[in-house]
Amino acid sequence: MKTENTKEIRADVLIIGAGMSGLAAGIRLAHFGKKVLLVDRHYSVGGLNGFYTIDGRGYDVGLHAMTNYVPAGTKNAPLTKLLRQLRIRYDELDLCPQRESAIHAFGNKLRFSNDFSLFESEIARAFPQEIDGFRKLDEFLKNFDETALDAKDSSARECVGEFLRSRELIDSLFIPLSFYGSSLPDDMALPQFAIMWRSIFREGFARPHIGVRQILRLLNKKFTEAGGIRKLRCGVKNIRIEGGRAAFAELDDGTRVFAEKILSSAGSTETMRLCSHKPADFGADNIGQLAFCETISVLDAVPEKDFGWNETIIFFNDAEKFNYRTPPGLIDPRSGVICIPNNYAWSDPSRAPQEGCLRVTCLANYTQWKNLRGNGEEAYAQAKALAYEKLLDVALSHLPATSEDKIRAKLVARDMFTPLTVERFTGKLGGAIYGATHKNRAGTTDVENLFLCGTDQGFLGITGAMLSGISMANLHGLT
Ligand SMILES: Cc1cc2nc3c(=O)[nH]c(=O)nc-3n(C[C@H](O)[C@H](O)[C@H](O)COP(=O)(O)OP(=O)(O)OC[C@H]3O[C@@H](n4cnc5c(N)ncnc54)[C@H](O)[C@@H]3O)c2cc1C
């Protein structure tokens, strides 16, 4: 494969996007001797789950938790399957399991951990009349083939309503599953609900000691060792379609890439808009509608020891019902996620994070942020500062009482992203982290040799994106 100093590159497969799915697909294809070129417009790998540095301090873009945690050696689990396919040893991930998380909603606190029996006992305690239905729902989901590529997107709310009556319980179950993986307002596609049920409640959360860098370093290493070629800071500008096939892709620097196949993780509408046969406004009805804000507070403190905060993740809802849809204002602080990345069971405490961290996520309105930015940087910065304060207040109202002054005195750094940040760094239209409303599980497009992987193929999150990359590489890249 020709690379440096040439305006033409030939490869078996061009992969668009060096996020979790693109990297996993690249490893899989390179292992089977394919000449793979992986390009990303950003200057570093990881996409929605990368990392960055401000004032010498490292931040993970998006890592709260890696879902689908299972102990080493567990048979037939998504995590062990994906490690096998990528030829990664379990211990290389350096995972530490969560301690305990909770759902705070409707006056209840429902605790859960990586041991499903805790959650089951919490449901029996808070909703005794629903425990039989809950167990039947769990049994139904266990037998559901959630990864079938031809699975139908029926309503998860309708299905869950056949097992449970309490709207408060149903809403409570939807809070974590929606925030960690739904592109659909106020509902989920049933296969996605089943995937997230298993990922979060049945299996659970873990985190490598050094966060997402551990996963990305491993993926990068495996990819380059297998002979894959990476080109960063250079996106795909357009794809020339001739006779129903992608003839070549033109990169931002003018290089033409001639590849037998193209696998894109850029998003479904985003990818099709690169194609010469589609108008620039193609797919307007399938642009993701759900966007989020996240605040990150760095504390010169150990959250558990100094403040008594001992949960790993809290999913909360303070409204009368759970609204998972675009809010009318800039943010909707009535529901969201509070993550304290310090609260994992570190297998080596000497490598636990040195500083305290508090991350708070809530729904946000992309258009409102976009319009506000039109009013200038100052207005945007002011709105961000207000949103940050609001989300800090909300988080503190869900955490064990500690004087706010004490926490503020320990605050050493902060950052915040809006839907515009997500759009700018990943190209996701509308800043929609979970991508298009309607997924394309088969990953095919109307272009014979152009395929999708990642978020818009339909497997979400870190584990999901890697599984998507692997399954699309197996299905379309290795045949
Ligand atoms: C704040 C936040 C918190 C999150 N927390 C978690 C969590 O705790 N646990 C979890 O499991 N998941 C989490 N997620 C979700 C998870 O990060 C994503 O689902 C997953 O990383 C998606 O991977 P992907 O490969 O499908 O897409 P992406 O990561 O979006 O990768 C696509 C890549 O394509 C590149 N690209 C786009 N257009 C072009 C182009 N034209 N040319 C070249 N390159 C292009 C982008 O730059 C990007 O790098 C979080 C996400 C965010 C943003």
Side-chain angles (χ1 to χ4, degrees), residues 21 37-38 45 92 165 183 188 196 209 217 241 284 324 347 359 383 459 463 468:
S21 64
L37 176 69
L38 175 65
V45 300
E92 287 180 288
R165 282 161 186 236
S183 61
M188 289 180 83
M196 298 313 292
H209 276 99
R217 273 183 200 165
I241 308 301
Y324 187 71
S347 52
R359 307 179 74 111
F459 299 160
T463 311
S468 168

Side-chain angles (χ1 to χ4, degrees), residues 16-17 19-21 39-41 46-49 61-65 235-236 265-266 274 294 417 425-426 428 433 454-455 460-462 465:
I16 305 176
M20 296 288 173
S21 64
V39 299
D40 201 297
R41 185 162 278 141
L48 286 169
N49 231 304
V61 177
L63 184 68
H64 289 195
V236 170
S265 64
L274 295 172
E294 178 157 297
F417 73 75
F425 287 106
T426 68
K428 287 261 173 294
I433 291 173
T455 306
L460 306 175
I462 298 171

Side-chain angles (χ1 to χ4, degrees), residues 365-471:
N365 181 319
Y366 167 81
T367 312
Q368 292 273 359
W369 283 101
K370 183 101 179 156
N371 292 343
L372 184 80
R373 185 136 219 191
N375 298 337
E377 280 308 311
E378 203 181 323
Y380 181 64
Q382 263 177 17
K384 272 177 77 171
L386 279 175
Y388 173 89
E389 292 299 330
K390 182 75 205 161
L391 290 180
L392 184 58
D393 282 349
V394 173
L396 296 182
S397 74
H398 283 277
L399 289 162
T402 311
S403 114
E404 196 178 328
D405 290 346
K406 190 172 159 191
I407 289 152
R408 286 188 184 276
K410 296 285 184 185
L411 198 56
V412 290
R414 63 169 76 173
D415 196 21
M416 174 171 174
F417 73 75
T418 73
L420 303 192
T421 328
V422 172
E423 188 177 56
R424 178 165 158 229
F425 287 106
T426 68
K428 287 261 173 294
L429 290 168
I433 291 173
Y434 298 130
T437 311
H438 304 292
K439 302 302 182 190
N440 175 348
R441 284 214 179 71
T444 49
T445 69
D446 67 346
V447 178
E448 200 183 308
N449 56 342
L450 172 63
F451 305 97
L452 303 176
C453 68
T455 306
D456 282 355
Q457 184 267 327
F459 299 160
L460 306 175
I462 298 171
T463 311
M466 286 194 275
L467 283 169
S468 168
I470 292 168
S471 54

